[in-house]
Structure formats: C-alpha cells, structure tokens
Amino acid sequence: MSIEDVASRGERGRVTLQVIAERLEVSTATVSLALRDSPVVADATKSRVQTLAREMGYIYNRSAASLRTARTNMIAVGFHDITNPYFAEMLVAVEETAAEAGRTILLGTYAESLERQERVLGTLKEYRPDGMILCPAGGATVESLAHLTAARIPVVQISREIEGVGLDFVGSDDVYGVQLAIDHLVSYGHTRIAMIGGNDGTSTGRARHRGYEAALKRHGLPIDPALIYKDFGTRRTGLAGVQTVLDLPQPPTAAFCFNDLTAFGALLGLRHRGREAGVDFSIVGCDDVQEAAQWYPALTTVRNHHAEMGRRAAEMLMERIEHPELPPRRFLIEPELVVRASTVRI
C-alpha cells in the first residue's frame, strides 16, 4: 500500500509501528527505538524511519506508552493568575526546567475562584500527570487539595502555601522581604508608612502583613490600621489604595505595596493627585518583575527571585516523583532589596 493509498483511505490516524516496519523491512523494535531517537539505531536507519513516519502521519500513542511505563512525562501547573508578569516569568522557568528533563507541562488557571480551581485541578488530574506544581487560589484550604493527595499525585506548592497540607513548598521569605523594604523607608526618614494590597486569604498576604507590622514595631513606630489597605494584589488595588490613604487627615509619606502590580497602580494613583514617586512620595514594590525597571520612575522593589523559585519547584517535583517516600520539604529563597528611583529622602 502506498502513502497515497493510506491517505486516500482516511487511515493516517491509524498508522502503526508495524506498518512503518513493513514498509522499510525492519523490525517494529527498530522503528520504536528510531522514533525515540535511540543511539542504538544507526543514523541512516533512524533518518529513514523518522522521515517515513512524518510522511505517513504517524502519531505517537502517548496514552498507550504511559500505561506501559506508568509515566506520562507531563507535569501539570495550576496558577491562579498568569496575567501578572510575576507568575508568567515564573512559569517560563518551570517550563524550561521541565523541558530540560524531557517533560511537558499542562497549564490550568483559575483566578481567585475556589470553584474554578476545583474544576481545573480535577481536569488536570484526569490527564494523569506525573506531578503538579500549584499556586493555590485565595481562601484555599487543606480540603481544597484533598482529592489530589488522595490520588497520590506528587504536588509542590509555589509562592503561596496551604499550611498543614503536608506538601512540598518553594517560596520567598516574605516576612524578611517586607522588613527590608520598611528598613529602607525608615532610613530615608519616613515614619508614616502605608501598606497597600495583600489580604488574609493567602499565605503571602498574611506573611507580608506580619513582616510590615514587625518592622514598624522594631523601629518603634505605631501600627495605624488606617494606613493598611487590604485587597488582592492588582493595579486597581494600588490605584484605589494610595488615593485612600492620601485622603487621611494624617496621610503617609511612603507606601509598601504587596506586589509590583499594586505598586504600578499606586504610581498612577499618585499622578492622579498631582504627586510623583521619588519626588514627594516613596513607593516600594515587591517581586521585581522585568517591568519594574522600565517604569518611570523605575520602581524600588523587593526581588523575590521568582525565576529561581520556578526552577527549584520543578526540580523538587521531579525529585518527589522519583522518591515519593521523602518527608515534606519547605524551601524559602532569601529576597533582596533593589533600590531604584521611586523612593526619596524626606
């Protein structure tokens, strides 16, 4: 049967290793090894097999292979948000690390919706990934991931964590990072420092607020609830938050923002009031996404090394896949302060 005959009879999707082997007069084992680019097969034979497979429209049956090996070589990634460049840049590092290990990623997103998270993670689970990397939605609990742990799927939490779930975690030392920001602002003479963004529904929100309060206390500064504007870390939060605190009878002279997106919103909010960061107000962000250095003024921020976070999480997951008996691990990356032009001495 010719290649044209195969195509004309609508059988391109049913081309098998045996069909290719018969055409080339080699064994099916040779075809299988050649398609996997095995060094055991001579280069000339490998080239003939791979060329014919492409021409005949051969499709690798990954499902059948996974049944034989109990591995799919796929890693599922569940993020609440990839419109935030922090998570987009983190995802790139996860994908690159997985690819280097011969694995493909499946991506699911669910915003801050627990209902959507349940549905997305359930769908990802159906593809039988070898493991998952997750950043939980706000308000997620131990019960939110119970179906994954019951299915014995290896899971690594990244950036955000659900305490007490007994899963691996890679993140930033958020308490320390905020303290670096507050120390910097105090060294510039600020004593009325707002915190904009972050809420108690996420571990990062809770940790960064703890760091903010601890740093103020260490410097002998009062904690004024009016200076704390809680909400998810978005540009809208920063825009609204900075204008809210500027309306106070005793407004702040500086603000630490939960993340860089919030800080970008706050920079715009200042301009709505005829103010400018780095001139008559100080803004510090958190994350150090690529955009932070490109703003005007360039944003002073806490660098969380999120690309390294992505790489470490992928590496940790692959270790967990190979060694499921390991005890839960928790790895915190130490942040650093990057001083740019959005802060000013008073």
Side-chain angles (χ1 to χ4, degrees), residues 60-308:
Y60 177 60
N61 192 334
R62 187 173 295 276
S63 296
S66 68
L67 289 174
R68 293 193 299 271
T69 64
R71 294 284 174 84
T72 62
N73 286 327
M74 293 189 295
I75 291 175
V77 178
F79 278 3
H80 69 287
D81 184 13
I82 58 167
T83 61
N84 183 338
Y86 174 77
F87 292 102
E89 292 166 19
M90 184 186 293
L91 178 62
V92 169
V94 170
E95 194 279 331
E96 289 177 347
T97 306
E100 289 170 1
R103 298 179 186 271
T104 302
I105 67 167
L106 295 172
L107 175 65
T109 62
Y110 30 79
E112 298 289 2
S113 167
L114 293 178
E115 180 181 354
R116 185 172 169 185
Q117 176 180 267
E118 177 78 12
R119 184 171 65 254
V120 168
L121 296 185
T123 300
L124 290 174
K125 182 175 64 175
E126 292 172 1
Y127 283 90
R128 302 177 66 244
D130 296 334
M132 290 191 179
I133 295 175
L134 303 179
C135 185
T141 63
V142 172
E143 291 71 26
S144 302
L145 302 186
H147 62 111
L148 299 181
T149 55
R152 298 182 181 275
I153 296 176
V155 175
V156 173
Q157 300 179 97
I158 188 169
S159 188
R160 296 177 178 182
E161 65 178 320
I162 300 174
E163 294 94 343
V165 74
L167 297 173
D168 295 329
F169 171 69
V170 177
S172 176
D173 187 340
D174 288 310
V175 171
Y176 177 67
V178 179
Q179 291 179 347
L180 291 177
I182 301 303
D183 289 350
H184 170 66
L185 291 171
V186 170
S187 74
Y188 273 22
H190 298 281
T191 57
R192 292 280 289 172
I193 303 170
M195 178 164 180
I196 300 173
N199 60 40
D200 295 334
T202 67
S203 62
T204 47
R206 294 189 294 271
R208 292 177 190 178
H209 277 280
R210 285 200 307 272
Y212 167 77
E213 294 185 0
L216 291 181
K217 289 179 180 178
R218 182 160 49 82
H219 288 289
L221 299 176
I223 298 171
D224 184 350
L227 293 178
I228 301 173
Y229 187 93
K230 290 189 177 184
D231 206 342
F232 286 114
T234 66
R235 295 173 194 263
R236 179 174 296 182
T237 293
L239 181 67
V242 75
Q243 295 186 78
T244 297
V245 296
L246 286 176
D247 286 337
L248 294 172
Q250 292 182 285
T253 59
F256 168 74
C257 295
F258 171 74
N259 60 13
D260 287 349
L261 279 192
T262 306
F264 298 153
L267 292 173
L268 293 175
L270 285 175
R271 289 173 184 163
H272 284 199
R273 296 300 181 87
R275 309 283 292 276
E276 188 71 30
V279 177
D280 52 17
F281 199 90
S282 287
I283 294 285
V284 179
C286 189
D287 290 343
D288 195 30
V289 299
Q290 293 180 14
E291 187 181 346
Q294 299 163 2
W295 263 75
Y296 183 80
L299 181 65
T300 294
T301 188
V302 177
R303 177 176 293 161
N304 281 333
H305 302 286
H306 47 293
E308 180 184 355

